[in-house]
Amino acid sequence: MSSFFESDSPTNLAEYSVSELSGSIKRTVESAFDQVRVRGEISGYRGPHSSGHAYFSLKDDRARIDAVIWKGTFSKLRFRPEEGMEVIATGKVTTFPGSSKYQIVIETLEPAGAGALMALLEERKRKLGAEGLFDADRKRRLPFLPKVIGVVTSPTGAVIRDILHRISDRFPVHVLVWPVKVQGDGSGDEVANAIRGFNEFAPGGPVPRPDVLIVARGGGSLEDLWSFNDEAVVRAAAASEIPLISAVGHETDWTLIDYAADIRAPTPTGAAEMAVPVKAELEAQLASLAARLQGCVGRQMDQRRQAVRALLRALPSLDQLLALPRRRFDEAAAGLGRGLELNTLNKRRAFERTASHLRPDVLSNRIVERRQMLGERMSRTERTVERMIDRARARIGRADAVFATLPSRLAAQTGRARDLLGNLSRHADTAIRHQLVRARGELIAQERILQSLSYKNVLKRGYAVVRDEADRPVSLAAALAAGAAISIEFADGRVGAVTGDSPAAALPTVPPADPPPQKKRTAKPADAADPPKQGSLF
């Protein structure tokens, strides 16, 4: 058996390992398809992987091939892959030995023809328009006279020279140029970065912040202008805080940045004309307005001057204006003296009416009445106190008798009675003390009234009282005969005198009247003991 199988084995074929066979196939495929262009539709595209590589497939109606774009190549593509887009991919075919699959490694990617570009452009336009990036209410007005203009364009083309020349002719301002590529790989990212860079300038910084941005490029085909249809460029233009003018291509060329910009210029030269006005026209308009203003001011001043003159003619003279106030002043000055005399007379009469009610006899009667009233009150108070003391003594006596007869049974009652007696005694003392304080206050108040109404206070101010021989007050000089003896009372005493030319009779000095004697207290019986804590009545 063994010899039979050994004779049938193919001994003339080389033996390979799996790795050797996969490597040989890989080298053969890569050498045969080193550089190929494949046309197909993108399928299964889900965006870049977390590693930065992109994996998808290219297919047509009968076949399908895997494709990969490495991270370094993906960042340089002019067009980003999109699901369902028909493209032409340039690269090389290789195999993946780990799974025995082959794939194309794409190096460049472009849409398959102008029709595909237009379809992609329309699709992108609808997508960005649906997000509101092209809405008219988002667009802002350009400043009338910008101080700094930022230009995003190629530094070597004719566009920048046309813009600078037009701005210099119309109104020279400061121009900042951000050089970018306007065509080719990475041009869209450069334009977007330039727009965002101008917006990041801080106002008042070392580099002035532009008031207007101009994104400009000369004319060209759809492929040449495709960088300005890039989604990043459109979003940067829509998000720009600085008003932006789009000047890409000629008047018939339209790109997506034209819809997102605040205003579209047909040419770069037209953008420069929109950005700044004509200085000569402004100076002429300013001179015209200044002349009109001067003429208006002159005419206004003439009209006001004429109106003031008309008003002056209608006003009365100074003498006429002051005639009536002057007459009123003279009449008031003439009546001032008479008015003062009448006012003094009225005051004197009112004083005399008031003084007539303050006679000494009236005051003396009131004082006597008050003294009698005070004496009666003091007598009633003394009698009341005596009765209260007698009742207290009687109660004490009764209590002592009870204590003597019933010492054992009434000991507790004796203590309560003594407490009650002490309380009553204290209440009696308090009542008497309060009554005396009130009586003393009333007496002091009456004494103050007496002192304030006493004529002796008048004598202290330098006046004197003249009395006749009967010691009656004399108020008129006609009431005294010549040679009559009189007495004159001063604040510190009296002196005698004689009226007329007769020598003065020596009259004794009359001392001031003594105060009325106070009523003496009624003496208490000797056997009556004073209540505890009993003070003086005065």
Side-chain angles (χ1 to χ4, degrees):
M1 291 289 294
S2 60
S3 60
F4 174 78
F5 284 106
E6 288 178 1
S7 61
D8 291 339
S9 60
T11 57
N12 58 340
L13 296 177
E15 181 179 331
Y16 297 96
S17 64
V18 176
S19 299
E20 292 175 347
L21 181 59
S22 297
S24 177
I25 294 173
K26 178 179 177 65
R27 289 190 295 272
T28 302
V29 171
E30 289 179 353
S31 60
F33 302 98
D34 183 28
Q35 197 75 15
V36 296
R37 287 172 60 86
V38 180
R39 184 188 186 106
E41 179 182 339
I42 296 177
S43 176
Y45 180 73
R46 297 295 181 269
H49 193 264
S50 60
S51 60
H53 311 312
Y55 301 96
F56 54 93
S57 300
L58 295 177
K59 68 176 184 178
D60 56 13
D61 55 347
R62 291 179 295 178
R64 177 189 184 99
I65 184 175
D66 292 338
V68 61
I69 304 177
W70 303 125
K71 178 180 179 181
T73 305
F74 187 84
S75 61
K76 299 178 182 179
L77 292 178
R78 296 175 55 188
F79 302 98
R80 295 292 184 263
E82 295 183 9
E83 181 70 18
M85 178 189 297
E86 187 177 4
V87 296
I88 298 176
T90 303
K92 60 181 180 179
V93 179
T94 184
T95 63
F96 185 59
S99 59
S100 299
K101 293 181 178 180
Y102 65 94
Q103 60 186 4
I104 179 173
V105 179
I106 299 176
E107 297 176 355
T108 60
L109 190 68
E110 58 186 13
L117 286 178
M118 292 303 298
L120 177 61
L121 181 62
E122 291 298 327
E123 176 63 25
R124 187 171 294 172
K125 180 179 178 182
R126 285 194 298 271
K127 173 186 174 183
L128 299 177
E131 296 181 10
L133 300 182
F134 303 152
D135 293 345
D137 55 355
R138 299 180 68 258
K139 301 183 183 300
R140 289 154 297 182
R141 297 181 60 182
L142 301 179
F144 176 72
L145 191 60
K147 296 181 179 180
V148 181
I149 298 176
V151 180
V152 179
T153 188
S154 174
T156 58
V159 172
I160 185 61
R161 290 194 294 271
D162 293 342
I163 292 175
L164 295 176
H165 178 71
R166 177 57 68 182
I167 291 176
S168 178
D169 289 344
R170 292 173 64 86
F171 203 110
V173 294
H174 189 187
V175 179
L176 295 178
V177 180
W178 195 300
V180 296
K181 292 193 302 182
V182 294
Q183 183 177 348
D185 295 340
S187 58
D189 292 336
E190 291 188 11
V191 173
N193 292 332
I195 296 174
R196 286 191 292 266
F198 272 130
N199 280 272
E200 291 176 359
F201 284 176
V207 179
R209 179 186 174 95
D211 300 318
V212 178
L213 293 183
I214 298 177
V215 180
R217 187 200 187 285
S221 62
L222 179 62
E223 290 80 2
D224 296 335
L225 303 179
W226 189 257
S227 298
F228 297 94
N229 294 319
D230 192 281
E231 184 175 348
V233 175
V234 177
R235 293 187 181 277
S240 175
E241 297 178 357
I242 303 173
L244 188 142
I245 303 175
S246 172
V248 179
H250 299 299
E251 188 171 0
T252 57
D253 297 326
W254 280 83
T255 57
L256 294 182
I257 193 175
D258 296 331
Y259 298 99
D262 295 303
I263 190 171
R264 174 186 180 272
T267 60
T269 304
E273 294 176 354
M274 292 178 180
V276 293
V278 180
K279 184 176 182 180
E281 295 178 358
L282 293 179
E283 292 175 348
Q285 184 178 3
L286 183 61
S288 176
L289 292 175
R292 291 176 58 188
L293 178 61
Q294 186 176 2
C296 292
V297 171
R299 290 190 297 271
Q300 186 71 12
M301 293 298 294
D302 293 339
Q303 293 176 1
R304 296 295 176 88
R305 191 178 293 109
Q306 294 176 3
V308 170
R309 289 174 180 171
L311 292 175
L312 287 175
R313 288 193 297 269
L315 290 175
S317 62
L318 184 60
D319 293 337
Q320 294 176 354
L321 291 175
L322 298 178
L324 183 59
R326 188 181 291 112
R327 182 175 178 180
R328 292 176 179 173
F329 177 75
D330 294 338
E331 292 177 355
L336 180 61
R338 187 169 58 258
L340 291 176
E341 293 177 358
L342 292 176
N343 188 32
T344 304
L345 181 59
N346 293 332
K347 296 294 184 180
R348 183 180 292 109
R349 290 175 179 174
F351 177 75
E352 290 175 354
R353 285 195 301 271
T354 304
S356 64
H357 298 292
L358 301 177
R359 297 193 307 274
D361 54 349
V362 175
L363 180 60
S364 300
N365 293 334
R366 292 186 62 182
I367 293 174
V368 170
E369 292 176 357
R370 294 299 176 90
R371 284 178 177 174
Q372 293 177 356
M373 185 182 300
L374 181 61
E376 293 175 357
R377 289 181 179 178
M378 292 177 65
S379 299
R380 287 197 300 270
T381 302
E382 290 178 354
R383 290 194 295 271
T384 301
V385 171
E386 290 176 356
R387 285 195 297 270
M388 291 176 65
I389 293 173
D390 293 340
R391 285 195 296 269
R393 285 184 180 145
R395 285 195 298 270
I396 293 172
R398 289 193 297 270
D400 290 339
V402 173
F403 290 152
T405 58
L406 300 174
S408 59
R409 293 185 304 167
L410 300 179
Q413 296 181 1
T414 302
R416 289 195 297 271
R418 287 179 178 176
D419 294 339
L420 180 60
L421 180 60
N423 292 334
L424 292 175
S425 178
R426 285 192 295 273
H427 291 332
D429 293 343
T430 303
I432 294 172
R433 191 161 45 252
H434 290 172
Q435 185 69 19
L436 291 176
V437 169
R438 285 195 296 270
R440 187 182 291 108
E442 292 179 359
L443 180 61
I444 293 173
Q446 297 297 332
E447 185 178 0
R448 288 178 180 174
I449 294 175
L450 177 61
Q451 293 296 332
S452 63
L453 298 178
S454 176
Y455 72 95
K456 294 185 177 181
N457 292 330
V458 181
L459 297 181
K460 292 179 181 180
R461 294 200 299 270
Y463 295 90
V465 179
V466 179
R467 302 178 186 271
D468 58 7
E469 295 177 353
D471 201 24
R472 293 189 299 252
V474 179
S475 59
L476 299 175
L480 297 174
I486 60 174
S487 63
I488 302 173
E489 182 180 356
F490 296 96
D492 56 347
R494 295 184 182 183
V495 297
V498 178
T499 60
D501 299 329
S502 299
L507 295 177
T509 302
V510 180
D514 296 331
Q518 297 181 356
K519 187 176 181 179
K520 298 182 179 179
R521 289 184 57 185
T522 303
K524 298 180 183 179
D527 56 349
D530 293 334
K533 300 180 181 179
Q534 176 66 34
S536 175
L537 292 177
F538 298 98

